[in-house]
Amino acid sequence: MSINLRKKKAESAALEAGVDALLVTHLPDVRWLCGFTGSSAALVLCAGEAKGSKANKRAVLFTDGRYTAQAKAEAVGSEVIIATKSPLLAACEWIATAGVKRCGFDQTQTTVADLAAMQKAVPSKLRKSLFVALEPLVAKLREIKDADEIAKLRAAAALGCKLFDHILSYMQPGMTEVAVAAELEHRARLAGAEAMSFQTIVASGERSSLPHGHATLAKLPRRGFVTLDFGVLLDGYCSDMTRTVHMGRATSEERNAYDAVLEAQEAGVTAVRSGVTTGDVDEATRSVLRRAGLAEWFTHSTGHGVGLEIHESPRLATKQTQKLKTGMIVTIEPGIYMPGRFGLRIEDTVLVTRSGCEILTPSPKAWIEL
Ligand code: ZN
Ligand code: ZN
């Protein structure tokens, strides 16, 4: 049922944006609006109620012959048309003959080549007026998760926590980063994950100073940090968490840096609440690191939305004025990276509530020495 509600919301947003139909081509948006998970699709959502119009309140999913059975099985509340050309072109031709007057498309998901092909697919007299470039409208709606999505994101996050538990007992000095990543990913698949939600980060020793240090053949040191940032894709939804552990005894500088990042991360989590701006949450983490004299090493933003995609709107970054809302699921992930020395990050995924937030990745964050 939730899909029908999502469609209604998208239709209202389309009408508000001054268009009577939407052409949706970004696959996660298509999936969110009609349930179809195939890799080739264009969805037309007609919001207008022009009498006698062929477009009247219809939702039509265009895909290709490889997906005939799958589209029929998965698509909810949408008719399915199997295109003999590209689904995008078939959708445009359909739009042109269905009586749609102004069809919005997401300008951030449409290439210059796509737009040229879209224009070419419709009669020349419609070219000026038919297609209207819009800001991402479905992505905006997807910021707030419904009950079904929250349940799936909760399950994905819980699996992430289970994997972290396991990997702690597996990691040994001298083992390669790739071996750690492989064990994590193997266990994830056995637990039902479709894939990892992004390339697993295992950054050890000096490599921990790389914010996105993908696992390499480097060996875990006897003494030094190991940052693990990973996520699973479970039932279409992503998990995302980071923990940094220390192999062997730490220096007091490493220990102090960890304490500061942990304090910053917890300050960020504490700041999360419906109505607070994402910029304020960013400032909550950054100000702790500023006081600790470490802010110059915090070189990325505080967090991002998570859902069908690993990085979604909203962005939690400096000076952002967007407000958090109940039902958003975002990460809080401050870190510091001192080139050639060491780095660390701690990341939770949290569900925004009216009075605060619920941490979906409650794995321990206190200092861990292996
Ligand atoms: Zn992450
Ligand atoms: Zn993240």
Side-chain angles (χ1 to χ4, degrees), residues 18-338:
V19 297
D20 58 342
L22 281 182
L23 171 60
V24 183
T25 54
H26 184 49
L27 293 172
D29 290 347
V30 171
R31 176 175 188 162
W32 190 77
L33 284 168
C34 78
F36 178 60
T37 65
S39 66
S40 156
L43 178 71
V44 182
L45 216 56
C46 301
E49 282 186 281
K51 263 212 183 98
S53 159
K54 189 175 147 193
N56 196 359
K57 284 278 176 195
R58 282 169 73 182
V60 187
L61 170 68
F62 296 83
T63 182
D64 66 49
R66 292 170 298 166
Y67 290 113
T68 307
Q70 187 180 328
K72 286 196 173 125
E74 289 180 339
V76 176
S78 301
E79 302 158 50
V80 176
I81 294 182
I82 303 299
T84 51
K85 55 192 89 179
S86 93
L88 176 64
L89 295 188
C92 292
E93 287 174 12
W94 185 89
I95 289 164
T97 59
V100 171
K101 290 191 180 61
R102 286 163 63 80
C103 180
F105 66 91
D106 184 338
Q107 60 187 359
T108 67
Q109 300 292 349
T110 306
T111 65
V112 174
D114 285 339
L115 184 57
M118 285 158 58
Q119 298 285 18
K120 230 178 122 187
V122 303
S124 50
K125 62 176 193 302
L126 294 177
R127 275 179 204 163
K128 265 211 172 103
S129 60
L130 184 57
F131 293 114
V132 182
L134 298 178
E135 294 295 317
L137 180 155
V138 182
K140 194 92 203 136
L141 296 173
R142 282 174 45 207
E143 286 177 347
I144 299 187
K145 274 63 186 176
D146 57 35
D148 179 55
E149 294 185 289
I150 291 170
K152 286 176 176 161
L153 284 158
R154 204 189 284 283
L159 175 53
C161 291
K162 236 175 91 181
L163 294 169
F164 177 66
D165 257 9
H166 168 71
I167 211 68
L168 283 182
S169 62
Y170 183 82
M171 287 166 65
Q172 299 281 347
M175 186 179 270
T176 64
E177 293 170 349
V178 162
V180 175
E183 174 68 11
L184 204 67
E185 295 176 6
H186 181 65
R187 292 277 171 157
R189 291 288 272 148
L190 289 177
E194 293 137 41
M196 302 310 280
S197 54
F198 57 93
Q199 197 178 341
T200 302
I201 290 172
V202 180
S204 68
E206 211 179 283
R207 294 193 73 253
S208 60
S209 67
L210 304 171
H212 271 186
H214 296 139
T216 65
L217 290 171
K219 289 182 174 149
L220 304 195
R222 296 212 160 272
R223 289 178 73 169
F225 282 120
V226 183
T227 299
L228 300 152
D229 185 355
F230 62 96
V232 298
L233 189 65
L234 188 66
D235 219 350
Y237 283 80
C238 298
S239 79
D240 190 7
M241 67 184 281
T242 307
R243 291 292 183 270
T244 302
V245 299
H246 200 278
M247 310 297 290
R249 279 193 51 203
T251 63
S252 59
E253 193 193 7
E254 288 171 327
R255 190 61 209 256
N256 290 340
Y258 189 89
D259 289 345
V261 171
L262 179 56
E263 192 191 333
Q265 202 271 345
E266 286 177 339
V269 170
T270 304
V272 171
R273 174 167 30 95
S274 169
V276 167
T277 69
T278 56
D280 284 346
V281 177
D282 182 85
E283 181 54 24
T285 64
R286 215 166 287 280
S287 62
V288 171
L289 292 172
R290 210 177 285 128
R291 278 200 301 278
L294 293 168
E296 65 174 303
W297 309 116
F298 179 20
T299 47
H300 53 74
S301 55
T302 288
H304 54 88
V306 183
L308 285 168
E309 292 176 276
I310 184 63
H311 292 122
E312 298 190 349
S313 186
R315 247 167 66 75
L316 283 71
T318 305
K319 298 207 166 80
Q320 295 283 310
T321 54
Q322 184 179 0
K323 284 187 174 148
L324 291 175
K325 288 188 187 151
T326 301
M328 285 182 173
I329 290 186
V330 299
T331 67
I332 306 293
E333 52 177 306
I336 56 164
Y337 314 93
M338 299 195 258

